[in-house]
């Protein structure tokens, strides 16, 4: 059985080596990096990332990060590129080729064809004098002094440095484009951020016959039946034209009972909350949540510009929609 201290020591050494490798990148964010950013910013097509082996795995992550932050991008395997997939690249695209040695045969093989179609080439290599670096319009130095692997064989520090350099490119481009949180949400509609930034009240509110609503002339007992039937813990009170007069909630019911009011003789407009909070259908669901939290309420009536009731929603609807 291996002493646990050895596991911990090995892990700490690996982290320290990779940390040092990343630190060295700061000094390499130079004019070559700026040139690469400008090439990518000027790209009229898409960014095509390629790399073999572990560099390929890192390349897929870089392509995914670029794509999700406003730079259309995809990965092409260099081996497959030599057998037809090179047709996926056009002169309007920019190619990012990754190779630690800078001489990976599968990558070097397709360089003449990339240059022939005059697609700009950015390289990420561990050798500035390699074939790939010398052919590139801009080379990003991702060389490392040591791999975290004690044998110096498994790509560890070098792949980490490459990944971080790719992140640096993506963030620099994101800021240059003025990429916003809402832009990010459009690329992530299935995520919690996407739901918070894209989902509107109109997408989740109850409409039509599902809206709890009664006329202002009805008895309190009738309003309670409406609340029970619709299950939102409230009902809108409207005039004869469908305009909102007020709101009655489960909380109002408790306060009414404390006053010993006869629910079978009292009209709803005598006990309703007249000046209730309302929202419009076109605001974000996240804004509705903020209003509920600030006002310490569990439901809202949705009205149009003429104050006619068009919908209703409560905290449970927001929870079900993933806004909370």
């Amino acid at each position: 059985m291996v002493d646990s201290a050895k596991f911990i020591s090995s892990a700490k050494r690996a982290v320290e080596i990779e940390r040092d490798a990343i630190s060295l990148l700061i000094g390499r964010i130079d004019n070559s990096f700026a040139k690469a950013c400008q090439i990518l910013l000027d790209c009229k097509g898409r960014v095509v990332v390629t790399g073999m082996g572990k560099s390929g795995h890192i390349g897929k992550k870089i392509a995914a990060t670029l794509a999700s932050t406003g730079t259309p991008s995809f990965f092409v395997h260099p081996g497959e590129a030599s057998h037809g997939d090179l047709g996926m690249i056009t002169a309007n695209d920019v190619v990012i080729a990754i190779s630690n040695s800078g001489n990976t045969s599968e990558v070097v093989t397709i360089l003449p064809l990339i240059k022939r179609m005059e697609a700009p080439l950015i390289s990420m290599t561990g050798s500035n004098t390699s074939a790939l670096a010398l052919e590139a319009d801009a080379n990003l130095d991702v060389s490392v002094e040591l791999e975290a692997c004690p044998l110096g064989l498994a790509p560890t520090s070098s792949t980490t440095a490459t990944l971080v350099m790719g992140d640096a490119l993506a963030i620099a481009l994101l800021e240059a484009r003025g990429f916003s949180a809402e832009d990010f949400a459009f690329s992530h509609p299935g995520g919690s951020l996407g739901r918070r930034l894209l989902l509107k009240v109109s997408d989740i509110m109850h409409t039509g016959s599902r809206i709890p609503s009664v006329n202002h002339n009805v008895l309190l007992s009738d309003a309670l039946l409406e609340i029970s039937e619709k299950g939102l813990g409230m009902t809108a009170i409207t005039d004869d034209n469908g305009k909102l007069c007020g709101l009655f909630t489960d909380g109002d019911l408790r306060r009414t009972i404390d006053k010993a009011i006869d629910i079978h003789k009292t009209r709803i407009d005598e006990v309703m909350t007249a000046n209730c909070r309302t929202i419009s259908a076109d605001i974000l669901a996240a804004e509705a949540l903020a209003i509920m939290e600030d006002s310490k309420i569990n439901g809202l009536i949705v009205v149009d510009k003429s104050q006619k009731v068009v919908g209703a929603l409560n905290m449970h609807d927001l929870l079900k929609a993933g806004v909370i």
Side-chain angles (χ1 to χ4, degrees):
M1 183 175 179
V2 179
D3 185 355
S4 61
K6 290 185 177 180
F7 287 130
I8 295 171
S9 177
S10 294
K12 286 184 176 180
R13 184 176 66 251
V15 171
E16 288 170 354
I17 292 173
E18 297 204 18
R19 176 201 61 198
D20 293 342
I22 294 172
S23 296
L24 290 174
L25 292 180
I26 296 175
R28 300 174 193 161
I29 307 298
D30 51 17
N31 289 333
S32 184
F33 180 88
K35 183 178 181 181
C37 288
Q38 192 60 57
I39 291 172
L40 292 168
L41 200 60
D42 293 339
C43 178
K44 293 180 173 58
R46 294 169 296 175
V47 177
V48 183
V49 185
T50 189
M52 194 69 187
K54 300 299 186 293
S55 292
H57 294 307
I58 296 300
K60 291 177 182 178
K61 166 58 170 63
I62 291 174
T65 300
L66 287 169
S68 69
T69 53
T71 302
S73 180
F74 65 94
F75 178 83
V76 170
H77 191 285
E80 297 296 335
S82 293
H83 295 277
D85 282 3
L86 199 65
M88 300 168 72
I89 306 173
T90 72
N92 290 324
D93 299 329
V94 173
V95 177
I96 297 178
I98 304 170
S99 169
N100 186 42
S101 68
N103 294 308
T104 303
S105 60
E106 291 87 350
V107 176
V108 172
T109 296
I110 63 175
L111 291 184
L113 300 173
I114 293 172
K115 301 298 286 186
R116 182 175 177 178
M117 69 177 66
E118 298 184 345
L121 174 65
I122 297 169
S123 63
M124 299 175 72
T125 72
S127 172
N128 289 328
T129 59
S130 63
L132 178 56
L134 294 174
E135 288 292 334
D137 296 288
N139 178 61
L140 303 180
D141 184 358
V142 291
S143 61
V144 297
E145 295 181 353
L146 290 172
E147 295 286 8
C149 169
L151 302 175
L153 298 175
T156 44
S157 302
S158 57
T159 49
T160 299
T162 304
L163 181 60
V164 172
M165 184 65 84
D167 287 341
L169 276 176
I171 299 307
L173 292 168
L174 178 153
E175 294 185 353
R177 296 183 194 279
F179 194 77
S180 67
E182 186 171 357
D183 294 325
F184 186 87
F186 273 103
S187 298
H188 302 75
S192 59
L193 177 62
R195 287 191 291 274
R196 288 183 64 86
L197 294 180
L198 298 178
L199 202 65
K200 292 189 175 183
V201 167
S202 58
D203 296 321
I204 61 173
M205 69 183 187
H206 298 265
T207 60
S209 62
R210 297 170 61 210
I211 303 173
S213 178
V214 295
N215 185 272
H216 66 103
N217 288 319
V218 306
L219 294 174
L220 174 54
S221 57
D222 295 320
L224 296 182
L225 289 174
E226 180 73 358
I227 292 174
S228 298
E229 181 181 342
K230 300 301 169 62
L232 295 184
M234 63 180 179
T235 184
I237 317 301
T238 65
D239 64 15
D240 296 335
N241 296 315
K243 290 186 178 181
L244 185 69
C245 297
L247 181 72
F248 193 82
T249 68
D250 287 341
D252 292 322
L253 174 60
R254 287 191 291 272
R255 288 184 285 273
T256 299
I257 291 175
D258 289 341
K259 296 177 183 178
I261 292 175
D262 189 338
I263 66 173
H264 298 292
K265 295 181 178 179
T266 305
R267 284 188 359 181
I268 188 63
D269 58 5
E270 297 176 40
V271 291
M272 70 182 185
T273 300
N275 298 313
C276 59
R277 293 297 304 268
T278 61
I279 54 173
S280 62
D282 58 355
I283 72 168
L284 293 174
E287 293 180 67
L289 173 61
I291 291 172
M292 288 187 195
E293 291 177 335
D294 291 343
S295 303
K296 294 181 173 57
I297 56 178
N298 292 317
L300 285 165
I301 298 298
V302 186
V303 296
D304 62 15
K305 292 181 180 179
S306 64
Q307 291 301 297
K308 285 189 176 181
V309 176
V310 295
L313 80 162
N314 64 10
M315 196 69 77
H316 180 73
D317 297 318
L318 296 171
L319 179 63
K320 186 177 179 181
V323 179
I324 300 176

